[in-house]
Amino acid sequence: MAIEIRQLPCLSDNYGYLVQDQETGAVASIDSPDPHAINTALQDAGWRLTHILNTHHHFDHAGGNLALKEKWNCKIIGPRAESEEIPGLDIAAGEGDVISLGASKAKVYDTPGHTLGHIVYHFEADGAAFVGDTIFALGCGRLFEGTPAQMYNSLAKIAAWPDNDLLYCAHEYSQANARFAVTVDPQNNALSARAEEIDLLRRRGQPTVPSSVAQERATNPFLRSNDPGVQATVGMSHADPIDVFAEIRKRKDKF
Ligand code: ZN
Ligand code: FE
């Protein structure tokens, strides 16, 4: 009893994911960035799409919903707080809900910040989470709709998961994120090592995603706004971590 995950580069820098419940063969597409790429991947795998799990309403995440639903008659699960904006939504989900993909289960968390209704899907038993545009390798989503405090709390939920759980984010932004991260956390050796590793992977055209919860906790500046070194670097020693987070997010927006 487990899930199998296929990762597919979509559009310019998105990742799509197909998740198969191996016991029943049920298959979910995490978001619907590019129906054509998703259909090709389904065909390659010999899988039939039964579900779409949407994280939020942006076009590069839900824009392919209707095309996929028309072809596969799949069930669309998405954020309750964005029900009106998710095309073809069948089941609205939010914090504390557990959704089923065949025999596999994912716990839903509300992670407002990037959008107000953003949700993430944690397949606890499989140690895998699909986090959309909430957390990226060494980064986090832009605050288009939410406040820094909301995003800070959303990220804290993810940071509390087990060390080895893997975070499957929706964009390949790692290299740009690493260039910024070292400016606010210059003394962090784990970060500089990771930045080098990311450069190497990208030079070979390989994905830098997924990453683990432990890796992000150790190197993602948006999870480290309580770190004395980070605080000193941004000139906010002993400040409230939420204020430090807000400052780091502001600097990244202008970087
Ligand atoms: Zn987005
Ligand atoms: Fe996105």
Side-chain angles (χ1 to χ4, degrees), residues 137-139 177-178 181-182 184-185 188-195 198 211-224 230:
L138 296 179
N177 286 344
V182 297
V184 293
D185 199 3
N188 185 339
N189 294 328
L191 171 59
S192 35
R194 191 173 175 203
I198 285 169
S211 58
S212 70
V213 170
Q215 258 181 319
E216 295 309 325
R217 244 192 257 120
T219 55
N220 187 323
F222 297 99
L223 298 184
R224 291 171 52 73
V230 171

Side-chain angles (χ1 to χ4, degrees), residues 228-245:
V230 171
Q231 292 199 347
T233 303
V234 299
M236 296 180 73
S237 290
H238 311 296
D240 184 326
I242 294 176
D243 296 332
V244 179
F245 170 81

Side-chain angles (χ1 to χ4, degrees), residues 13-14 56 58 60-61 114 132-133 136 170-171 173:
D13 53 32
N14 280 76
H56 64 297
H58 287 158
D60 61 316
H61 297 263
H114 178 66
D133 288 355
F136 300 121
H171 291 272
Y173 288 160

